[in-house]
Amino acid sequence: MYFIFEPRGNMKKQIQNIAVMTSGGDAPGMNAAIRAVIRTAVYYKLDPYGIYRGYEGLIEGDIERFTARKVSNIINRGGTILKTARSQEFRTVEGRKKAYDQLIKNNIDALIVIGGDGSFTGAKIFAEEFDFPVIGIPGTIDNDIFGTDFTIGFDTASNTATEAIDKIRDTASSHNRLFFIEVMGRNAGFLALYSGIAGGAEEILIPEENIGIDKLVESLRRSKRAGKTSSIVVVAEGDQTGKNVFELAKYVENNLKEYESRVVIVGHIQRGGCPTTFDRVLASRLGVKAVEALLDGQRNIMVGLKNNSVQYTPLNDAIQFTRTINKEMLNISEILTT
Ligand code: ATP
């Protein structure tokens, strides 16, 4: 029996039924987090529920009672068995009221949301509006959430991107070509930076930094003169060149005749596949702690990993503050591309 949160009226309410959902973009490791939440709930003799299709499914009452066995054999699977969705209706007060009514109808006492920035924004607004306990678990391949060193899915996605770069390098070096490899990241360059460093890219273009297109051409020219026969430029979707990756490749080719250039867009394969050991362990740790946080009386917080320990961050901070790229990483990339 756990008595922890005090809803309006100061009557202590017991947390018994908890629901978990995945929301926003899918990320490898979300299933491991769902499994951890469900099994931790069972371990503490709580009754766990799964909500399908994020806030959309919540509004429609797509809610199911889960057991420990129902999450067997999913720790190794990418995607999310609960499905995920983006819900316009949840952005409205009326939509959120419907969601609240569904939770009350199903006797749910607390909600655990696995997702990114947008999902947490919705969760925070909802929690404040209806005084409902919510815990966030960061699940997004972008790694762009304040309050955690890593988000679930980032490690798997960056390994996929690195693997793609490795394969392309074989062709690049055989043909003396210049390859532009676009990886995901409209607003954050973590995937580009990590996979670029790991794949030995000559240049890495990220949204957080503007190196300037002519400086890029100059740097590639210098590399060529220094004896490099092929080059790889990793480009985040949201880089600051102001050109899409095809236009960028053309521009560089026109200004650097020594190279023949090619473009590869790694695309959605970055989202899929078996989660890495790191992502599975991270998801397991955060899933367990999310349930324990509720039992500790925590609400409206996100559980995250900081300096290898699981810590709480208010949802408000997780949304409000931007996770910045580590300067040391930028420096490493600069030194190693010499
Ligand atoms: P990813 O980082 O993978 O894109 P995300 O969680 O940021 O994941 P979003 O599409 O931004 O994905 O948000 C998921 C859902 O959260 C939205 O479809 C919407 O239902 C809800 N949401 C986002 N912002 C708000 C908001 N301001 N108010 C209410 N709900 C919101």
Side-chain angles (χ1 to χ4, degrees):
M1 281 290 137
Y2 298 92
F3 296 88
I4 22 265
F5 76 93
E6 276 183 57
R8 284 183 191 121
N10 286 339
M11 220 177 71
K12 291 227 170 184
K13 171 114 171 56
Q14 174 193 335
I15 287 191
Q16 183 57 43
N17 300 334
I18 63 167
V20 60
M21 67 153 78
T22 47
S23 171
D26 65 308
M30 279 182 161
N31 280 327
I34 295 166
R35 171 183 180 270
V37 168
I38 301 291
R39 293 212 166 153
T40 308
V42 172
Y43 178 86
Y44 286 111
K45 308 215 176 331
L46 305 176
D47 296 316
Y49 290 77
I51 299 170
Y52 289 94
R53 296 179 293 114
Y55 295 125
E56 197 68 18
L58 173 57
I59 288 169
E60 291 168 18
D62 202 353
I63 302 172
E64 190 181 319
R65 174 81 165 81
F66 266 56
T67 60
R69 292 289 73 76
K70 203 167 161 59
V71 289
S72 296
N73 302 323
I74 65 165
I75 193 167
N76 54 329
R77 282 167 55 190
T80 157
I81 59 157
L82 287 176
K83 316 280 185 198
T84 182
R86 303 194 198 264
S87 166
Q88 278 310 318
E89 204 178 352
F90 195 75
R91 292 176 184 271
T92 66
V93 188
E94 296 75 26
R96 293 193 292 274
K97 174 71 170 69
K98 282 189 202 167
Y100 177 71
D101 290 344
Q102 290 291 356
L103 289 171
I104 298 303
K105 189 171 139 200
N106 287 275
N107 290 318
I108 308 290
D109 304 311
L111 180 62
I112 295 177
V113 177
I114 306 167
D117 224 21
S119 303
F120 292 167
T121 305
K124 185 220 152 209
I125 294 170
F126 179 79
E128 286 175 359
E129 234 162 34
F130 298 98
D131 200 12
F132 199 87
V134 177
I135 304 284
I137 298 180
T140 164
I141 63 167
D142 294 333
N143 207 34
D144 59 348
I145 309 273
F146 179 86
T148 189
D149 293 339
F150 294 101
T151 58
I152 296 166
F154 170 70
D155 186 65
T156 308
S158 54
N159 273 290
T160 302
T162 301
E163 217 175 293
I165 295 168
D166 287 347
K167 291 188 175 174
I168 291 158
R169 182 173 291 287
D170 290 347
T171 292
S173 59
S174 304
H175 288 275
N176 291 356
R177 274 181 189 151
L178 170 61
F179 269 86
F180 289 83
I181 306 178
E182 185 187 272
V183 301
M184 282 183 168
R186 286 210 171 82
N187 306 306
F190 292 96
L191 259 180
L193 193 57
Y194 273 68
S195 60
I197 289 174
E202 275 67 42
E203 295 291 339
I204 304 168
L205 306 184
I206 56 175
E208 294 86 344
E209 234 199 1
N210 188 0
I211 68 162
I213 194 162
D214 292 320
K215 219 171 139 202
L216 170 71
V217 173
E218 205 34 58
S219 164
L220 290 169
R221 184 171 287 125
R222 263 202 315 276
S223 301
K224 185 80 182 168
R225 285 192 192 132
K228 283 193 184 176
T229 52
S230 63
S231 280
I232 284 180
V233 179
V234 173
V235 187
E237 284 169 312
D239 76 282
Q240 291 198 29
T241 57
K243 297 184 185 300
N244 71 40
V245 68
F246 292 100
E247 294 164 348
L248 176 65
K250 198 85 220 143
Y251 181 90
V252 173
E253 203 176 61
N254 288 340
N255 288 278
L256 192 66
K257 302 283 184 211
E258 298 94 316
Y259 272 128
E260 203 187 323
S261 71
R262 292 285 185 278
V263 171
V264 173
I265 296 179
V266 185
H268 275 80
I269 63 163
Q270 287 161 100
R271 282 197 183 280
C274 295
T276 57
T277 302
F278 181 88
D279 271 332
R280 295 183 205 191
V281 173
L282 175 66
S284 300
R285 290 177 78 179
L286 299 186
V288 168
K289 203 66 180 182
V291 177
E292 289 183 342
L294 276 173
L295 298 180
D296 281 347
Q298 295 289 335
R299 53 194 298 177
N300 309 349
I301 52 112
M302 180 195 84
V303 288
L305 191 73
K306 277 174 155 172
N307 302 323
N308 202 23
S309 95
V310 181
Q311 295 184 20
Y312 304 146
T313 300
L315 270 182
N316 207 25
D317 292 357
I319 298 157
Q320 210 177 323
F321 297 116
T322 308
R323 177 152 147 57
T324 49
I325 291 258
N326 189 331
K327 286 260 180 291
E328 183 212 341
M329 294 291 285
L330 291 173
N331 200 28
I332 287 171
S333 115
E334 168 130 18
I335 291 171
L336 298 184
T337 51
T338 309

